[in-house]
C-alpha cells in the first residue's frame, strides 16, 4: 500500500512533468534534455493548475471540482506529449540524456566533482527530511491544505480555528497549498506528510535542476566547470541560513511554502529563460512558439506561489526585455514578452480589486 502511494507521488512529481515537458525540448537544444523536460513540464502543470484553481476559488466551488478538471487537463497534455514524442521517436529525434558529456581534459577530476555534487545533494535532502520542523507559517499554510482535503472547501474556513469565514481572496489568488492538497489526495498520504517530506525532496532537487540548466549557459564550452559551479551553489545553501528570511532557509527548511518555490525555482528559472532570450537576440535567431509558452507558464506560476511574485517577476522580465531591445536594436519581441507578462498583470489587478 505504501509503495503504491509513493509511486503515485513519483508519478505526479517526476514522471508526468517529464513527459509533458518533452514538448519544450526545442527551447534549448544545447541543454540537458532530462533537466529541461522536468522543469518545463512542472512549470506548465503548475500554470494549468493556477488557471483552473483561481476562478473556481473565486466562485467558491468545491475542491473536488478543481481536482476533476485538472485531471482532465493533465490527461490531455500527457496524451498530446506522448503522441508528439511518438512522432519524434520515429524520426530518431528523441534523446533524454542528463549530462551530455563530462568534457574537459581531466575527465577523472570532473567525475569526482560530480560525485561530490551528488553527495552534497543527497545530504541536503536527507537533512531536509530528518530535521523537518513546524514553523509559525505551518499553522496557516499546512492547515489550509488539511482543511481543503477534509472539508472540500477552499479558503472559506479559518485555518486557525476551522470556523467558517468569508472567502480569503488574498491567499486564494496564490493557491500553492491547494496543489499540495492535490498531491495528498492522489497519493493517499496525509497533507502534513506530503508537505514536510515529499514536497521538499522534489522541490530541492528541482532547484538544482534549474541551476544545472543555468550553469550550462554560464559555463559555456568549459563543461568541466559546471559541477564546480553547482558545488559552490550547494555550499552557499548549506551556510546561507544567516537569517530566518534568507532564500536558503526557505529552500531547505520551508520548501513546502509557495514563497520558497518562488525564490528557489521560479525566479532562477526566469533567469535561465532570460539568458536564452538574450542569447537568441545576440545570435539573431528566431524565437520558437514553445519558448513563449514556457515563459508565459513561468510568469503564471509566479502568481501561484505568491501574490508578490506578480510584481517581482514582471519587473524582472520587463527590465531585461527593455535592456535587450535597446542593446540589440530589436523591438519586435517586446510584444510577445508583454503578452507573457499578462497573467501577472491580471492576478495583480484581481488582488487590488478584490481585497
Amino acid at each position: 500500500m505504501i509503495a503504491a502511494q509513493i509511486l503515485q507521488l513519483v508519478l505526479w512529481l517526476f514522471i508526468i512533468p517529464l513527459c509533458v515537458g518533452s514538448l519544450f525540448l526545442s527551447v534549448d537544444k544545447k541543454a540537458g534534455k532530462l533537466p529541461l523536460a522536468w522543469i518545463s513540464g512542472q512549470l506548465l502543470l503548475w500554470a494549468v493548475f493556477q488557471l483552473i484553481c483561481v476562478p473556481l476559488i473565486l466562485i467558491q466551488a468545491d475542491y473536488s471540482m478543481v481536482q476533476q478538471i485538472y485531471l482532465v487537463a493533465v490527461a490531455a497534455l500527457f496524451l498530446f506529449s506522448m503522441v508528439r514524442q511518438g512522432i519524434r521517436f520515429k524520426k530518431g529525434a528523441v534523446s533524454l540524456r542528463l549530462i551530455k558529456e563530462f568534457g574537459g581534459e581531466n575527465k577523472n577530476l570532473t567525475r569526482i566533482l560530480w560525485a561530490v555534487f551528488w553527495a552534497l545533494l543527497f545530504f541536503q535532502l536527507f537533512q531536509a527530511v530528518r530535521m523537518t520542523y513546524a514553523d509559525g507559517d505551518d499553522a496557516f499554510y499546512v492547515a489550509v491544505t488539511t482543511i481543503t482535503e477534509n472539508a472540500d472547501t477552499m479558503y472559506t474556513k479559518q485555518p486557525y480555528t476551522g470556523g467558517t469565514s468569508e472567502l480569503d481572496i488574498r491567499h486564494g489568488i496564490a493557491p500553492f497549498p491547494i496543489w499540495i492538497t492535490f498531491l495528498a489526495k492522489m497519493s493517499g498520504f496525509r497533507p502534513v506528510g506530503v508537505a514536510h517530506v515529499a514536497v521538499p525532496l522534489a522541490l530541492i532537487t528541482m532547484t538544482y535542476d534549474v541551476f544545472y540548466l543555468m550553469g550550462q549557459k554560464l559555463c559555456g564550452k568549459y563543461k568541466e566547470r559546471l559541477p564546480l559551479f553547482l558545488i559552490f551553489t550547494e555550499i552557499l545553501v548549506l551556510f546561507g541560513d544567516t537569517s530566518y528570511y534568507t532564500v536558503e532557509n526557505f529552500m531547505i527548511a520551508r520548501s513546502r511554502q509557495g514563497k520558497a518555490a518562488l525564490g528557489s525555482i521560479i525566479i532562477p528559472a526566469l533567469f535561465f529563460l532570460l539568458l536564452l532570450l538574450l542569447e537568441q537576440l545576440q545570435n539573431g535567431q528566431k524565437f520558437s512558439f514553445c519558448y513563449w509558452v514556457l515563459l508565459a507558464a513561468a510568469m503564471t506560476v509566479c502568481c501561484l506561489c505568491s501574490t508578490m511574485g506578480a510584481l517581482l517577476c514582471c519587473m524582472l522580465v520587463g527590465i531585461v526585455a527593455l535592456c535587450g531591445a535597446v542593446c540589440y536594436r530589436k523591438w519586435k519581441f517586446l510584444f510577445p514578452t508583454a503578452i507573457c507578462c499578462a497573467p501577472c498583470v491580471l492576478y495583480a489587478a484581481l488582488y487590488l480589486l478584490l481585497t
Side-chain angles (χ1 to χ4, degrees):
M1 183 65 181
I2 294 179
Q5 292 174 305
I6 294 175
L7 182 60
Q8 280 284 341
L9 287 175
V10 173
L11 180 69
W12 285 102
L13 289 172
F14 181 74
I15 296 176
I16 292 179
L18 181 63
C19 295
V20 173
S22 64
L23 297 170
F24 300 96
L25 294 180
S26 61
V27 169
D28 185 10
K29 296 180 180 179
K30 298 179 182 178
K33 303 304 180 183
L34 184 62
L36 179 61
W38 187 26
I39 291 299
S40 302
Q42 190 63 75
L43 288 177
L44 182 61
L45 292 176
W46 271 339
V48 171
F49 188 85
Q50 170 77 351
L51 294 174
I52 292 172
C53 191
V54 170
L56 294 178
I57 289 175
L58 295 179
I59 64 173
Q60 300 186 33
D62 295 336
Y63 160 75
S64 55
M65 184 178 296
V66 174
Q67 180 172 311
Q68 293 167 5
I69 297 176
Y70 183 62
L71 285 174
V72 173
V74 172
L77 286 173
F78 181 81
L79 290 175
F80 178 71
S81 65
M82 288 296 95
V83 170
R84 184 172 177 182
Q85 278 297 91
I87 296 173
R88 295 182 70 246
F89 181 78
K90 289 182 178 180
K91 296 180 179 179
V94 175
S95 174
L96 289 176
R97 291 175 289 180
L98 177 59
I99 300 170
K100 290 187 175 181
E101 56 183 271
F102 285 104
E105 297 179 357
N106 196 337
K107 293 187 178 181
N108 290 330
L109 177 60
T110 306
R111 291 189 177 96
I112 292 173
L113 290 175
W114 278 115
V116 172
F117 161 72
W118 284 108
L120 290 175
L121 175 58
F122 287 134
F123 174 74
Q124 290 185 20
L125 295 175
F126 175 74
Q127 291 293 87
V129 174
R130 187 181 74 89
M131 302 185 68
T132 187
Y133 66 95
D135 60 18
D137 284 344
D138 278 1
F140 183 89
Y141 293 110
V142 177
V144 167
T145 301
T146 304
I147 289 174
T148 301
E149 183 196 41
N150 294 332
D152 200 30
T153 60
M154 297 181 292
Y155 295 103
T156 56
K157 289 184 177 291
Q158 297 178 357
Y160 300 115
T161 63
T164 303
S165 67
E166 295 182 354
L167 180 63
D168 184 359
I169 298 294
R170 177 196 166 194
H171 294 99
I173 295 176
F176 194 80
I178 309 299
W179 176 71
I180 298 179
T181 301
F182 173 79
L183 294 178
K185 278 281 193 178
M186 298 306 299
S187 65
F189 284 115
R190 301 300 299 170
V192 65
V194 174
H196 282 267
V197 178
V199 171
L201 291 177
L203 298 194
I204 292 173
T205 307
M206 285 181 64
T207 299
Y208 288 109
D209 196 335
V210 175
F211 278 99
Y212 169 81
L213 293 172
M214 195 155 47
Q216 281 189 316
K217 288 297 175 188
L218 297 176
C219 296
K221 63 180 180 179
Y222 302 102
K223 300 182 185 300
E224 67 278 3
R225 299 180 183 179
L226 179 56
L228 196 60
F229 166 78
L230 293 172
I231 290 171
F232 275 111
T233 303
E234 290 176 319
I235 292 174
L236 289 174
V237 171
L238 286 171
F239 294 94
D241 193 16
T242 55
S243 166
Y244 188 70
Y245 301 103
T246 62
V247 176
E248 294 83 1
N249 179 281
F250 273 84
M251 172 184 167
I252 298 295
R254 306 165 71 180
S255 308
R256 57 199 169 271
Q257 298 176 15
K259 291 173 286 186
L262 176 66
S264 301
I265 299 175
I266 309 306
I267 292 179
L270 282 176
F271 273 105
F272 166 70
L273 292 173
L274 293 174
L275 283 173
L276 278 177
L277 176 72
L278 296 177
E279 180 183 65
Q280 291 175 342
L281 285 175
Q282 184 177 18
N283 297 333
Q285 299 174 345
K286 293 183 178 180
F287 295 94
S288 66
F289 176 74
C290 290
Y291 174 83
W292 296 119
V293 172
L294 187 56
L295 181 60
M299 297 298 285
T300 305
V301 177
C302 295
C303 307
L304 169 71
C305 296
S306 175
T307 50
M308 67 180 178
L311 174 63
L312 293 175
C313 297
C314 233
M315 289 178 58
L316 172 62
V317 174
I319 291 172
V320 173
L322 287 175
C323 290
V326 172
C327 292
Y328 296 105
R329 301 294 192 274
K330 297 178 181 178
W331 310 94
K332 292 182 179 180
F333 77 96
L334 289 178
F335 179 70
T337 304
I339 294 177
C340 292
C341 294
C344 289
V345 176
L346 173 62
Y347 288 113
L350 284 174
Y351 176 79
L352 294 174
L353 292 173
L354 300 179
T355 56

